[in-house]
Amino acid sequence: MNIEFNKNEDVNKQSVFELKTRLKKIYKGGGDKSAAKQKEKGKLLARERIAYLIDKESEFLEIGAFAADDMYAEQGGCPSAGVVCGIGYVSGRQCMIVANDATVKAGAWFPMTAKKNLRAQEIAMENRLPVIYLVDSAGVYLPMQDEIFPDKEHFGRMFRNNALMSSDGIVQIAAIMGSCVAGGAYLPIMSDEAMIVDGTGSVFLAGSYLVKSAIGEDVDNETLGGATTHCEISGVTDYKHPNDEACLDSIRNIMNKLGAPQVAGFDRIKPALPKLDVEEIYGLLPENREKPYDMRDIIQRLLDDSELEEYKELYGQSIICGLGRIDGWAVGIVANQRKVVKSKKGEMQFGGVIYSDSADKATRFIMNCNQKKIPLVFLQDVTGFMVGSRSEQGGIIKDGAKMVNAVANSVVPKFTIVIGNSYGAGNYAMCGKSYDPRLIYAWPSAKIAVMGGAQAAKVLLQIKEASLKAKGEEITPEKEAELLKEITDRYNSQTTPYYAAARLWVDGIIDPKETRKVISMGIEAANQSPIKKQFNVGIIQT
């Protein structure tokens, strides 16, 4: 161990501490007062419902915990976008759980709430996971209805997905455990089975106030759409339960009778821990995102027995490709190399840059994994593709396009972990969100942007200065320094993993030690969805 290792360790552990501190705040939802109001009604909170529902001592992989983080300040905030989503085990069966958090604006739907729910449904559809909805929502947040109601990726898309999943045999169970109003009423009723909690659950297209306004009828919400109405008169719901616990027990009883899923057949053997200490990742990962390091050191602390069967080790060295196992599952690793390497062409400092030969190697490896039905894991620390006349004349655009093509057309499941930088076209080639990874998570050290902060700030400064000069303003050295700092700070704030997670560019931020769990649970989920499409890359220029 050396001073640099210790410094890295301190910085990275502090970042993980900050992550856990921020998560603790998010887990409180709308706060203690709002929670107390829910408790007074005899209700469990959203996270308590999930904890009660899932198998004891089982894992829960949360999706979008930071969704809407630091957004909607004028509306008072919307922690976790007002809904808790994740993959959990119920009666031994992996499923997607979606639970409205009534402590956050009564569970109302903000624009990011819709985006998060659609992401949860997307994961369920891709992996054929049963979906359990724990419904407790006041419906669309009306002051922002124009940003959530009419478009393709808005509120209504959820009900369309309900219908598609049902037709495709993906089980959906809904529990109405609080309010379920207006358009939101379709979600539980379009599920395969719906249950309701007596006294707290209600479902109707229009509440009592709107009914009075629309047709002049005086009626209370319980008579309008309570458990007795829908279980004994309308027949809208299938099961009536006295409290949250009984309702959740009923879901478990249904889940333990589901038929076994078909499997994709991804290879798994008995899991083994890495031989090298995962804890050492904190000291190996540089605190400065520009410093070089050997990505193999990270990979060996993620793989079973720390064993990597490297592909074309001495060719295209700015990308590491190879086969290994994570928690027993066979995986193909595609990772950016960051260390300085001596080659026959001279010393090269890769710094996460993708060169032509590396893109060619990665393309071939990705095609091989599709041929062998091996899931792909992308470890991102990429600054982009190599630029300059030599690279352009060498066909970097063509080779980069081949890699992007192979990533886009892969039929095996892909999983992406953003370890460090994720800039420009490198984000795309290394399976960023646009390229449909089954799951994509970031470490606290991640940076996601079109380019690095220093470069971007200088470009933006030139544009700003040109604009000011056009207005006749004089740019003094002091003014220039002030503008540069202002632009750099603003740009850098938009490259953090928290900014990305708030907008669901990534599914979450994790402690590096959780990486194996994320990938293992992801492949387990993907294994429930047999591959039906043939791998074909179309036309690739050679």
Side-chain angles (χ1 to χ4, degrees), residues 185-196:
Y186 287 107
L187 185 146
I189 309 311
M190 292 188 72
S191 298
D192 301 313
E193 291 180 282
M195 52 191 69
I196 188 168

Side-chain angles (χ1 to χ4, degrees), residues 172-299:
Q172 299 172 88
I173 302 170
I176 301 165
M177 310 180 82
S179 297
C180 187
V181 185
Y186 287 107
L187 185 146
I189 309 311
M190 292 188 72
S191 298
D192 301 313
E193 291 180 282
M195 52 191 69
I196 188 168
V197 177
D198 193 18
T200 55
S202 60
V203 55
F204 36 65
L205 292 180
S208 55
Y209 292 120
L210 184 54
V211 168
K212 175 68 174 177
S213 174
I215 63 173
E217 180 184 0
D218 282 308
V219 61
D220 63 88
N221 284 340
E222 185 64 26
T223 303
L224 194 62
T228 299
T229 294
H230 287 311
C231 284
E232 300 179 26
I233 302 173
S234 73
V236 166
T237 51
D238 307 308
Y239 306 91
K240 177 181 178 181
H241 297 293
N243 52 46
D244 283 8
E245 290 85 352
C247 184
L248 297 168
D249 287 337
S250 178
I251 295 174
R252 293 179 59 81
N253 288 335
I254 293 170
M255 288 294 294
N256 71 21
K257 297 173 179 63
L258 262 58
Q262 292 181 326
V263 296
F266 302 125
D267 187 67
R268 191 182 198 188
I269 63 174
K270 184 179 178 180
L273 293 173
K275 286 182 178 176
L276 298 176
D277 189 358
V278 177
E279 189 87 17
E280 291 177 351
I281 288 175
Y282 299 132
L284 293 166
L285 188 68
E287 48 85 20
N288 184 332
R289 295 287 3 104
E290 309 307 316
K291 285 186 178 179
Y293 65 96
D294 193 342
M295 180 63 84
R296 289 184 186 87
D297 291 336
I298 305 297
I299 295 171

Side-chain angles (χ1 to χ4, degrees), residues 229-493:
T229 294
H230 287 311
C231 284
E232 300 179 26
I233 302 173
S234 73
V236 166
T237 51
D238 307 308
Y239 306 91
K240 177 181 178 181
H241 297 293
N243 52 46
D244 283 8
E245 290 85 352
C247 184
L248 297 168
D249 287 337
S250 178
I251 295 174
R252 293 179 59 81
N253 288 335
I254 293 170
M255 288 294 294
N256 71 21
K257 297 173 179 63
L258 262 58
Q262 292 181 326
V263 296
F266 302 125
D267 187 67
R268 191 182 198 188
I269 63 174
K270 184 179 178 180
L273 293 173
K275 286 182 178 176
L276 298 176
D277 189 358
V278 177
E279 189 87 17
E280 291 177 351
I281 288 175
Y282 299 132
L284 293 166
L285 188 68
E287 48 85 20
N288 184 332
R289 295 287 3 104
E290 309 307 316
K291 285 186 178 179
Y293 65 96
D294 193 342
M295 180 63 84
R296 289 184 186 87
D297 291 336
I298 305 297
I299 295 171
Q300 289 170 345
R301 286 160 176 81
L302 298 176
L303 295 180
D304 291 15
D305 288 322
S306 300
E307 291 182 355
L308 175 69
E309 183 71 26
E310 195 159 345
Y311 173 79
K312 290 183 181 287
E313 180 179 356
L314 301 178
Y315 175 73
Q317 295 182 62
S318 72
I319 287 184
I320 298 170
C321 298
L323 300 175
R325 291 186 182 274
I326 291 178
D327 200 32
W329 294 104
V331 295
I333 300 289
V334 182
N336 303 110
Q337 177 59 292
R338 292 295 309 271
K339 80 168 189 175
V340 177
V341 175
K342 288 185 178 180
S343 69
K344 291 182 179 180
K345 299 177 183 179
E347 188 174 73
M348 303 170 67
Q349 180 170 328
F350 294 127
V353 176
I354 301 175
Y355 292 78
S356 284
D357 54 358
S358 302
D360 175 67
K361 177 174 83 170
T363 301
R364 290 170 180 268
F365 180 73
I366 290 165
M367 294 170 76
N368 278 343
C369 286
N370 276 273
Q371 181 84 345
K372 298 169 184 171
K373 206 159 74 170
I374 299 173
L376 287 160
V377 174
F378 293 83
L379 303 178
Q380 287 194 6
D381 195 344
V382 58
T383 52
F385 286 90
M386 190 61 190
V387 296
S389 59
R390 183 175 174 179
S391 293
E392 297 294 357
Q393 291 167 13
I396 186 67
I397 295 176
K398 177 182 66 178
D399 291 320
K402 287 192 291 186
M403 182 177 174
V404 168
N405 192 320
V407 172
N409 283 295
S410 285
V411 296
V412 294
K414 300 166 292 192
F415 302 90
T416 301
I417 305 295
V418 187
I419 288 175
N421 300 324
S422 180
Y423 294 155
N427 171 281
Y428 303 153
M430 291 295 294
C431 198
K433 185 69 180 291
S434 305
Y435 287 78
D436 296 326
R438 295 291 177 98
L439 294 172
I440 176 170
Y441 280 81
W443 289 2
S445 48
K447 296 280 185 183
I448 302 173
V450 72
M451 65 176 71
Q455 302 95 312
K458 289 175 183 176
V459 173
L460 291 168
L461 177 63
Q462 292 173 20
I463 296 170
K464 182 70 172 178
E465 285 181 341
S467 174
L468 292 174
K469 286 177 181 177
K471 296 177 182 177
E473 292 189 34
E474 182 183 352
I475 308 298
T476 64
E478 292 77 16
K479 178 68 172 177
E480 184 178 72
E482 181 185 330
L483 284 172
L484 181 61
K485 183 180 185 307
E486 178 187 322
I487 291 169
T488 302
D489 290 346
R490 183 174 68 249
Y491 189 88
N492 284 339
S493 71

Side-chain angles (χ1 to χ4, degrees), residues 519-540:
I519 295 169
S520 177
M521 288 185 68
I523 298 176
E524 184 182 350
N527 198 42
Q528 298 181 53
S529 181
I531 296 173
K532 297 179 180 177
K533 185 179 177 183
Q534 189 71 28
F535 177 65
N536 188 334
V537 293
I539 296 174
I540 294 183

Side-chain angles (χ1 to χ4, degrees), residues 53-187:
L53 176 65
I54 62 175
D55 299 344
K56 303 310 174 193
E57 298 182 5
S58 67
E59 298 282 6
F60 179 70
L61 178 58
E62 186 160 355
I63 307 294
F66 283 101
D69 186 47
D70 280 339
M71 298 173 67
Y72 310 125
E74 292 182 6
Q75 291 77 25
C78 187
S80 271
V83 62
V84 184
C85 303
I87 299 172
Y89 298 86
V90 179
S91 297
R93 185 70 175 266
Q94 213 179 32
C95 57
M96 175 61 70
I97 302 170
V98 180
N100 298 115
D101 186 349
T103 70
V104 180
K105 295 288 190 295
W109 286 63
F110 282 67
M112 283 304 302
T113 315
K115 186 173 183 178
K116 183 171 174 179
N117 274 267
L118 290 173
R119 175 58 177 154
Q121 286 186 324
E122 178 184 36
I123 292 169
M125 293 166 80
E126 286 179 331
N127 300 293
R128 299 190 61 81
L129 295 178
V131 187
I132 298 171
Y133 303 104
L134 307 181
V135 186
D136 194 345
S137 171
V140 167
Y141 184 69
L142 286 177
M144 304 185 78
Q145 64 86 27
D146 60 319
E147 297 180 47
I148 188 175
F149 170 65
D151 211 343
K152 181 178 178 180
E153 300 300 331
H154 284 179
F155 190 62
R157 187 79 170 185
M158 275 198 68
F159 316 135
R160 173 259 193 192
N161 288 349
N162 284 144
L164 290 185
M165 282 191 280
S166 184
S167 70
D168 200 29
I170 298 172
V171 173
Q172 299 172 88
I173 302 170
I176 301 165
M177 310 180 82
S179 297
C180 187
V181 185
Y186 287 107
L187 185 146

